[in-house]
Amino acid sequence: MQYWLMKSEPDEVSMDDVMASPNRTTAWFGVRNYQARNFMRDAMREGDGVLFYHSSCAQPGIAGLARIVSQPYPDASQFDPVSPYYDPKASPEQPRWISIDVQGTHKTRLLPLAELRSIPELAEMVVLQKGSRLSITPVTPDQWRYIEALLTGAA
DNA sequence: GCCAACGTTGGC
DNA sequence: GCCAACGTTGGC
């Protein structure tokens, strides 16, 4: 069991969109960065916890909690010539990019980036490190527990 | 819109 | 394999 922070632009997919999806589940596709891809392919597994983060927006921060509900599988958009995520170098025989299904569990209050930065217990979070741009970053169990308790009131 | 930081591309 | 140029991310 591992924990992750996943960035989404709320104009594309917001926490509300996830919670409104059938079974509160949506396919995470369009990752086109090898480091993030490798996390999905090699480390993410069904049941892992996800901090759902809104990026590139007026109020960046954590918007809810989710979990991984599938194994990794090839991202269909890489084969679609009209998709903005089309990759001519990928083929169904040799897929390059990975999707995974994410299910929303709690929509929470927005935990703003500035507040995250103000919490000493969270100072080591990968997403807070200088220059960090990865759309998927690992979260430690301690960081997860702290944020989960903060946002859900769970002990 | 600005800009820092990082990733990718491609010539050599 | 090096590295300059370019593109992207993402907070502000």
Side-chain angles (χ1 to χ4, degrees):
Chain A
M1 174 83 163
Q2 297 185 83
Y3 302 97
W4 309 95
L5 181 144
M6 299 175 83
K7 291 182 187 173
S8 181
E9 302 190 14
D11 287 350
E12 304 286 332
V13 181
S14 70
M15 190 68 201
D16 283 337
D17 294 333
V18 174
M19 297 307 277
S21 300
N23 211 20
R24 304 194 313 278
T25 298
T26 189
W28 205 279
F29 66 95
V31 171
R32 294 295 180 270
N33 171 282
Y34 287 104
Q35 235 182 311
R37 190 277 312 266
N38 292 348
F39 280 138
M40 296 174 89
R41 186 189 61 191
D42 303 334
M44 277 189 164
R45 290 299 177 263
E46 208 165 338
D48 284 0
V50 172
L51 302 173
F52 193 98
Y53 181 93
H54 285 177
S55 69
S56 294
C57 60
Q59 289 271 318
I62 294 171
L65 306 180
R67 65 177 161 232
I68 301 299
V69 291
S70 79
Q71 297 297 103
Y73 58 91
D75 178 344
S77 66
Q78 68 191 305
F79 312 129
D80 179 357
V82 301
S83 167
Y85 299 113
Y86 178 61
D87 183 345
K89 293 179 181 167
S91 67
E93 296 73 30
Q94 291 218 312
R96 179 180 288 205
W97 305 110
I98 297 290
S99 274
I100 208 159
D101 292 345
V102 174
Q103 180 181 51
T105 54
H106 305 272
K107 181 187 174 177
T108 65
R109 78 171 171 96
L110 188 94
L111 175 53
L113 177 60
E115 184 176 345
L116 279 177
R117 291 195 187 284
S118 77
I119 300 172
E121 288 87 343
L122 302 179
E124 304 299 317
M125 285 188 78
V126 176
V127 73
L128 300 182
Q129 304 313 304
K130 185 175 180 179
S132 172
R133 304 188 313 182
L134 268 186
S135 58
I136 299 173
T137 50
V139 172
T140 69
D142 283 347
Q143 291 162 357
W144 171 270
R145 280 191 289 270
Y146 188 96
I147 292 169
E148 183 183 40
L150 186 63
L151 292 178
T152 68

